[in-house]
Amino acid sequence: MFTTLRLTIGDKHLSSWSLRPWLVMKTFGLPFEEDSIRLDRPDTADEIARRSEAGKVPVLTAGDLTVWDSLAIIEYLAEAFPDQAVWPADPAARAVARSVSAEMHSGFGALRRLWPMKFADLDIGGEITPDLESDLNRIDAIWRSCRRDHGADGPFLFGAFSAADAMYAPVVSRFMTYRGRIGDKVLDAYCQTIWALPGMREWGEGARAERAF
């Protein structure tokens, strides 16, 4: 890269979409400056509008280029840093990783609505409706199949950490907040793997610090 990357994010306690590209950049050691905007405040919309016409976070700027939307940012990073395995190297695994990432990106409405990310809160319990149960069952199935079919070489969905893990990292946070332990050996092990990432620990420290103000 020939220019400084700046990632604008929302609150670490609340902004699940911001966590995704941030975790990719942290885990792969990509150089960037962090710009944070507190959400749900009188000046939030104006602050975001100064950085992106889309009016949402996260936003990545690279010189004169502005990239918005978590998945688009991750794709840009994969192309900008081809020496980093942001996506799995195997074409079949990469296709599946992109598929499950896109499904996360566009689906799971009940999960988002009923279990919003509250990163600094742990095991507070939460209502499970039929729609939410359907979302949870689908996520369980995705994680299980990815681990079974593509995860032999490591503890992540596709063995090594990839963008797919970053896309589901906020779901792990939700499980820690609302569900506690899942009660399944394979899925619990995956959650603990994500939760133990240095980037997740750093994000959690930031979330807890935000709540002190």
Side-chain angles (χ1 to χ4, degrees):
M1 296 297 299
F2 299 100
T3 188
T4 300
L5 297 178
R6 177 180 291 271
L7 184 68
T8 300
I9 62 174
D11 291 8
K12 289 179 176 174
H13 181 54
L14 301 173
S15 186
S16 60
W17 291 107
S18 296
L19 170 58
R20 293 178 168 107
W22 186 96
L23 187 60
V24 167
M25 299 179 85
K26 282 287 181 175
T27 303
F28 286 106
L30 307 184
F32 72 102
E33 296 178 354
E34 181 179 320
D35 178 25
S36 181
I37 297 174
R38 297 304 300 269
L39 304 179
D40 299 326
R41 299 198 171 186
D43 61 345
T44 295
D46 290 340
E47 288 295 318
I48 295 175
R50 288 175 48 226
R51 296 156 176 84
S52 171
E53 294 179 0
K56 296 180 180 179
V57 288
V59 179
L60 181 75
T61 56
D64 294 332
L65 175 66
T66 298
V67 186
W68 61 98
D69 182 274
S70 293
L71 195 52
I73 293 170
I74 289 172
E75 291 286 14
Y76 173 79
L77 295 171
E79 294 179 356
F81 296 92
D83 57 322
Q84 302 291 339
V86 174
W87 293 105
D90 177 74
R94 187 165 63 249
V96 175
R98 282 194 162 109
S99 294
V100 299
S101 296
E103 185 174 352
M104 180 72 255
H105 188 267
S106 62
F108 304 105
L111 177 74
R112 302 182 200 282
R113 184 176 68 257
L114 297 173
W115 285 8
M117 192 173 86
K118 297 181 179 180
F119 199 98
D121 293 337
L122 299 178
D123 202 11
I124 63 175
E127 177 188 9
I128 299 181
T129 65
D131 286 346
L132 177 55
E133 185 172 18
S134 177
D135 281 357
L136 297 177
N137 288 340
R138 176 57 185 154
I139 289 167
D140 288 357
I142 288 171
W143 289 0
R144 195 182 303 278
S145 65
C146 289
R147 290 289 302 133
R148 181 192 65 234
D149 298 338
H150 304 285
D153 294 333
F156 298 97
L157 292 178
F158 294 85
F161 178 86
S162 74
D165 298 294
M167 290 299 293
Y168 282 89
V171 177
V172 171
S173 168
R174 287 174 164 98
F175 283 174
M176 295 297 182
T177 295
Y178 298 102
R179 195 175 184 183
R181 293 183 62 82
I182 297 174
D184 177 275
K185 183 177 180 180
V186 172
L187 302 179
D188 279 333
Y190 176 67
C191 282
Q192 292 302 322
T193 294
I194 296 298
W195 198 244
L197 282 169
M200 290 289 277
R201 293 200 300 269
E202 182 179 343
W203 185 274
E205 290 170 2
R208 290 186 290 275
E210 287 172 354
R211 299 199 66 195
F213 294 96

